[in-house]
Each structure stands twice: as C-alpha cells, then as structure tokens.
Amino acid sequence: VQLQASGGGLEQAGGSLRLSCAVSGGTFDYYAMSWFRQAPGKEREFVAGISRSGRKIAYDNSVKGRFTISRGNAKNTVYLQMNSLKSEDTDIYYCAASLGTPWDSVRADAGEYSSWGQGTLVTVSS
C-alpha cells in the first residue's frame, strides 16, 4: 500500500490546517490509520489514530480538543484537521497504516505500522 500525505505548510499560532493522506494499492478498510509527528533528533510520536470502522478514535493529550482525525472510506483518504495551532505543533507529520488491526482498535505504537507516507512539514509561527 502507498500513502501520500499533503496539506502541510506555514500557519500562524491560533490558525488551522488540514492534512490529507491518500491511500492506494490496498483495500482501505483493511487498515487502521494514524498520524504521527517527529522533530529532528526525536522519536516519532503518536498524534491521532482511527480504527478501521471509524468508530474508535484516539488522540495524544497534547492535541485533544484541537485536532480531529477522520477517514473518508469512499475516497481512501484519512484527514487530520488541526485547529488552534501552537508553535509546539511544528513538526513533520506522517500518516501510517496498520494492516490486520481489529475492526474497532487503534494502535498508538509506531512499531505496529508497516506503511508510512513521506511526511509533510507543518510550521506554526508564534
């Protein structure tokens, strides 16, 4: 499966961005999907995840109430709506797909994901 992330850019603190991740080469609802982010020299960290069913969603505490993950199964795309952006949200964001995750489960461990997008840079200016 191939993942193509887009939507990053430069935004002011308090603003909004929407990331998209288009999935191809696989059956979309076979995959739980998540967004991770990584700063240079740091480990990749979980941001948000959504189950294959779309009914189970998880967020890191740092983004809860500000970010919303969703999936459009008809478009084979997962989205991350990011509102009330903060300077500490500046990072490279990666979408990831996990094959074989149970229907209503979300994985927060990067090691559970076998497929990754190329990353999209989000820069928030204060």
Side-chain angles (χ1 to χ4, degrees):
V1 67
Q2 292 79 47
L3 284 65
Q4 181 70 42
S6 61
L10 174 65
E11 183 58 70
Q12 292 185 338
S16 299
L17 285 171
R18 189 174 86 151
L19 306 184
S20 300
C21 177
V23 179
S24 61
T27 302
F28 187 54
D29 63 5
Y30 284 7
Y31 296 87
M33 301 295 299
S34 286
W35 289 94
F36 290 77
R37 62 188 180 186
Q38 186 172 24
K42 295 189 176 181
E43 290 189 359
R44 196 163 291 187
E45 63 178 20
F46 176 79
V47 176
I50 187 166
S51 65
R52 293 166 58 198
S53 68
R55 290 193 295 262
K56 182 67 180 298
I57 290 174
Y59 297 100
D60 182 77
N61 285 337
S62 65
V63 307
K64 201 172 290 185
R66 300 188 298 121
F67 290 10
T68 303
I69 189 171
S70 61
R71 63 190 294 157
N73 283 356
K75 294 186 177 182
N76 288 5
T77 302
V78 63
Y79 304 96
L80 185 68
Q81 178 66 43
M82 305 187 295
N83 298 331
S84 302
L85 284 163
K86 303 177 181 180
S87 57
E88 52 262 44
D89 294 321
T90 295
D91 256 324
I92 299 175
Y93 285 71
Y94 298 88
C95 59
S98 175
L99 179 65
T101 302
W103 186 240
D104 280 319
S105 294
V106 175
R107 307 295 193 196
D109 181 354
E112 301 276 359
Y113 291 81
S114 57
S115 300
W116 294 85
Q118 83 284 10
T120 185
L121 177 63
V122 171
T123 303
V124 183
S125 63
S126 56

